[in-house]
Amino acid sequence: MLKVEISLRCQGTIRRGILVKKPISPPPKTKPHSIRVLTHDFAYTLGLPPVTAPYSPPSFDVSSASEIVLEWSAACSGRQFDRIFGVWFGGAEVLRGCTAEPRPNGIVWTVRKDVTRYSSILSRPSTLAVFLGNVVDRTYTGVYHVNITLHFYRSVSSEPRHFADLILPVSRDPPKDDGLWFSIDGSGGSSSSKDVVVPNNSYRAVLEVFVSFHGNDEFWYTNPPNAYIEANNLTGTPGNGSFREVVVSIDGRPVGAVWPFTVIYTGGINPLLWRPITGIGSFDLPSYDIDVTPFLGTILDGKRHNVSFTVTDGLNMWFVDANLHLWLDSNGGKAVTGRLIRYEAPAFEPSLNSSFKGLDGRFVTKASRRIIATGWVRSSMGKVTTHTFQGFEYLNDMVFGKSGSLQIVNQMIGMEYGSYVKYPASGLDSVHVIRRFPLYVYTENVDLGDGSYSSLSNVSLGFDEDRFAGPKFGFAYSSLKNLQSGQGDMIVRGNLVTSGIGSTQQVYSYNGTEGCYFRNVSSSNYTILHDVSGETCDGKNSHFGLGHAFSHFPARRDLWRLSQKNGK
C-alpha cells in the first residue's frame, strides 16, 4: 500500500494532535517532582546514533513514588513524513511512538505514559537514549522539537508495590546507528538475539516486548499471497500473505508469541484521517507481556542464556526489543531453585483458501497457536507453582476487485493469555486477559491519467480488552472498548496529497474496579465536530457501531480448561 504525505495549502493557527486514551490520574492533592530529561531538535537524524543524555534520579527514594509519568511533548511545522521514535533508560525501552505529520503552520502533540513499572531503572543513574529517524532536505522541511519530562508523584499510601526489582534490557548496546531496537528482516528468515544472565535469586520473570513494523510490512495485513503477485507480474508489490507473528525464544525454545495490534501510523492509508485524531496506538504503541516464570528453573544457573526474536513470514523491516522484568528474593540472597514440569508449544496452524483470476480474487487466511507452560520455584516463600498459557486465533478475508484497483480487508485477531500462581500459604493469584483486534480496510484507486490518481478509503479498527486479576492483591477487573472509524478521499500526485478530505469518529469506553472513563469524539477536515467525555459507569457510551460487519470470533475462552487436561 502506497504511503503518502500532505502538500495542501493550509491557513490558520497551529494544530494539536489528539490521542484518545484514559487520562492518568495522579494521587489527589499531590504535586509532582518534575525533571526535564531532554530538550532536543531532531533534524536530519536518519542513520545516526540515538541522542543521549545522562540521567540522574531525584534525591528522594524513587520507590516512594506512587506514580511516575513520562511526558513527551513535541512540535513540528512544514512538510514531513511520519517518523518512528523510541525512548530508553539504561537500555530499557519505555516508550515507542510515531510522530504527527505537520501542517505548514505547525502541529503539537503530547503523550503522557505511566512508567511506574520501570521504577527500578529510574531509581539509579543511567543514560537516556532517544532515537527519531528524521530527514530534512529541500522537500521534507519539518524539524521535530522535543521535550521529555519525568513527573514523580509521592503519596503517603502504605499499599504494597508490585513492580519488578530488576529490569534487564534485551536490546542493542549503544552506540549504534538507528535505535536500540533490533531491526529484523524476516524475508531471509533471520532473527535477532541477546544473551542475558538472570540473578539466581529471581522468583518471577515477565518479558515485555515492543514491536513495530515498517517498510514492506507497514501494511502487512493487506499483503497478498506470493502466488497472486507472481501470476500477475506485480514487481515491487509486498507479499508473503497477510499473517505475521513475532516468536520469542529462550535458548531456542519458543516461550511466547506476539500477534501485534494493527497500528496505523499518521501517514497510513489516508493521512487526512489522522488529523487531528491520531490512529489507535500510533502515538504510544502497545507493548506485550509474556510471563516466563515457568522457565526460570532452566536459566537460574548463573550462565548466559539467549533471548531471540523471529518474525514469521515477515518482510523488512520489524523493530523489536524487550525488557526482562525480574522479582528477586531478598532473603539473604540465597539461590532460588526451580523446574519446568510441563511445556506445550506446537507450531502455529495456518491455512489459505485462495481463488483469483487475473487481478481479481479472494484470499481467506486463518491461523491459530497455543503455548502452555507450568513450572515451580522454591524461594523464601516456599514452593510456588506458576501455570501460564497463550492462545491465538486469526482470520483475514481479503478481496480484490475492479482489476485490482479495489481492495477490501476484513480481519480479526483474537487472543487469550494468563498466569495462575499457587502460593503455599496465600492461595491462588491470577491474571487473565482476553483481547480482540478487529480491522476493516476498504481502498479504491482510480487513475486520473495526468500522473495522479484518486483514492477512496474506509477504515475501522478496534482494540478491545477484558482483564481479570486476583485474589492475592485483591480482585480487579477492567473492560476496554476502543473503536475508531474513518472515511476519506484524496487526490495523489507522486507521493503528495494535493487535495482531499477525511473524517474520523472514535469512541473509547473503559470500565473497571478502579474507575471508569469514556470519550466520544469526531472530526472532519481538521476540525473537531463533537467531543464528549466523562467518568461515569452507566454503560451508555460503551457501544459504537463501526458500520462494518467484522468476521467476528471469540478468543479461546476454553483455553484454561484445555490447558488443565490431564492435570499438572
Side-chain angles (χ1 to χ4, degrees):
M1 183 169 290
L2 184 65
K3 192 181 187 80
V4 296
E5 54 97 8
I6 305 296
S7 178
L8 303 178
R9 294 184 179 272
C10 304
Q11 303 295 328
T13 60
I14 191 169
R15 297 289 182 175
R16 182 174 296 275
I18 296 177
L19 169 65
V20 177
K21 63 183 293 187
K22 182 176 181 289
I24 296 175
S25 300
K29 298 180 181 180
T30 59
K31 292 184 178 180
H33 176 87
S34 300
I35 302 175
R36 176 72 58 83
V37 293
L38 184 75
T39 296
H40 190 79
D41 296 335
F42 290 86
Y44 201 116
T45 54
L46 188 66
L48 298 178
V51 173
T52 60
Y55 166 73
S56 297
S59 56
F60 59 83
D61 182 6
V62 171
S63 65
S64 66
S66 59
E67 194 165 41
I68 307 172
V69 176
L70 183 147
E71 181 179 292
W72 164 287
S73 179
C76 185
S77 60
R79 178 186 293 172
Q80 197 53 262
F81 271 124
D82 50 2
R83 308 293 184 182
I84 197 73
F85 68 83
V87 180
W88 295 262
F89 284 89
E93 186 165 8
V94 299
L95 173 66
R96 185 178 303 190
C98 166
T99 63
E101 284 197 349
R103 302 176 72 188
N105 51 300
I107 191 167
V108 298
W109 82 99
T110 299
V111 177
R112 289 172 58 86
K113 179 176 180 178
D114 187 335
V115 293
T116 317
R117 70 181 302 188
Y118 309 106
S119 57
S120 63
I121 286 280
L122 298 174
S123 64
R124 62 179 187 269
S126 66
T127 298
L128 165 70
V130 181
F131 180 78
L132 194 165
N134 195 27
V135 173
V136 173
D137 55 23
R138 291 184 178 181
T139 302
Y140 302 105
T141 59
V143 175
Y144 288 100
H145 310 281
V146 175
N147 291 308
I148 301 177
T149 306
L150 285 173
H151 303 286
F152 296 84
Y153 292 89
R154 304 173 69 186
S155 70
V156 296
S157 174
S158 60
E159 293 184 4
R161 295 165 58 88
H162 313 302
F163 304 111
D165 302 298
L166 176 67
I167 298 176
L168 298 181
V170 188
S171 59
R172 299 198 308 162
D173 296 325
K176 299 285 187 181
D177 295 344
D178 204 351
L180 300 188
W181 43 54
F182 299 104
S183 182
I184 301 176
D185 182 353
S187 57
S190 64
S191 63
S192 295
S193 65
K194 185 174 184 178
D195 290 344
V196 297
V197 177
V198 177
N200 61 9
N201 63 332
S202 304
Y203 69 87
R204 183 188 177 203
V206 173
L207 197 63
E208 177 197 17
V209 183
F210 285 82
V211 172
S212 59
F213 29 86
H214 311 277
N216 288 330
D217 264 354
E218 179 173 344
F219 308 102
W220 50 268
Y221 41 85
T222 69
N223 288 13
N226 292 337
Y228 172 83
I229 294 173
E230 294 167 0
N232 290 286
N233 195 28
L234 299 176
T235 58
T237 298
N240 275 16
S242 62
F243 174 80
R244 299 292 185 272
E245 70 169 352
V246 178
V247 179
V248 183
S249 301
I250 297 179
D251 295 334
R253 184 198 334 240
V255 297
V258 173
W259 290 22
F261 173 68
T262 50
V263 177
I264 301 175
Y265 306 127
T266 54
I269 301 179
N270 181 341
L272 298 173
L273 302 179
W274 318 121
R275 299 181 177 201
I277 303 172
T278 191
I280 297 172
S282 58
F283 281 173
D284 181 7
L285 272 71
S287 61
Y288 307 85
D289 285 352
I290 300 173
D291 192 331
V292 295
T293 305
F295 301 93
L296 275 178
T298 67
I299 57 178
L300 289 175
D301 54 9
K303 299 180 181 179
R304 302 175 70 87
H305 293 273
N306 185 259
V307 180
S308 63
F309 311 97
T310 305
V311 181
T312 302
D313 292 337
L315 300 175
N316 74 316
M317 63 187 78
W318 289 71
F319 295 157
V320 183
D321 64 13
N323 302 321
L324 182 57
H325 297 247
L326 298 170
W327 285 256
L328 307 178
D329 188 357
S330 58
N331 184 28
K334 293 182 179 179
V336 174
T337 58
R339 183 184 175 191
L340 176 67
I341 58 177
R342 185 186 179 196
Y343 171 69
E344 297 178 18
F348 79 98
E349 302 171 0
S351 68
L352 172 63
N353 188 341
S354 176
S355 175
F356 66 93
K357 182 178 182 180
L359 291 169
D360 294 343
R362 181 181 182 185
F363 311 97
V364 179
T365 304
K366 299 179 181 180
S368 62
R369 179 188 278 280
R370 63 184 177 90
I371 299 176
I372 299 170
T374 306
W376 57 262
V377 294
R378 190 182 300 277
S379 67
S380 63
M381 292 178 287
K383 184 177 180 180
V384 178
T385 301
T386 301
H387 177 75
T388 64
F389 62 90
Q390 285 187 302
F392 302 91
E393 297 281 358
Y394 173 89
L395 172 62
N396 180 291
D397 190 343
M398 183 185 304
V399 174
F400 286 95
K402 296 187 177 181
S403 298
S405 63
L406 177 150
Q407 184 183 28
I408 300 173
V409 173
N410 198 338
Q411 177 177 286
M412 176 66 77
I413 299 174
M415 64 191 69
E416 184 175 9
Y417 65 90
S419 63
Y420 292 80
V421 185
K422 179 64 173 66
Y423 294 91
S426 54
L428 186 70
D429 184 24
S430 64
V431 175
H432 195 135
V433 180
I434 299 169
R435 283 178 169 177
R436 296 160 295 274
F437 300 156
L439 172 71
Y440 176 90
V441 178
Y442 175 102
T443 57
E444 183 176 356
N445 298 329
V446 177
D447 188 351
L448 300 180
D450 59 352
S452 62
Y453 66 92
S454 67
S455 179
L456 173 68
S457 58
N458 289 281
V459 180
S460 301
L461 69 159
F463 188 112
D464 297 349
E465 178 185 272
D466 293 304
R467 181 180 294 266
F468 311 84
K472 183 176 175 58
F473 302 115
F475 177 78
Y477 164 75
S478 64
S479 176
L480 169 64
K481 296 186 181 299
N482 190 6
L483 303 172
Q484 200 170 49
S485 180
Q487 311 81 37
D489 60 80
M490 58 184 177
I491 305 297
V492 180
R493 182 185 294 272
N495 285 331
L496 301 179
V497 179
T498 59
S499 64
I501 189 171
S503 61
T504 302
Q505 306 83 45
Q506 184 170 358
V507 169
Y508 181 105
S509 176
Y510 177 90
N511 295 273
T513 50
E514 80 282 12
C516 301
Y517 177 77
F518 77 87
R519 188 172 181 181
N520 188 326
V521 59
S522 64
S523 67
S524 180
N525 198 23
Y526 301 92
T527 301
I528 295 296
L529 303 178
H530 174 83
D531 192 355
V532 177
S533 62
E535 298 180 352
T536 61
C537 294
D538 57 14
K540 293 181 180 179
N541 298 280
S542 300
H543 304 285
F544 178 38
L546 288 175
H548 302 291
F550 290 115
S551 299
H552 194 83
F553 58 85
R556 289 184 170 180
R557 293 179 180 270
D558 62 341
L559 185 65
W560 167 243
R561 293 190 296 273
L562 175 67
S563 70
Q564 291 299 290
K565 285 184 178 180
N566 303 321
K568 298 193 297 290

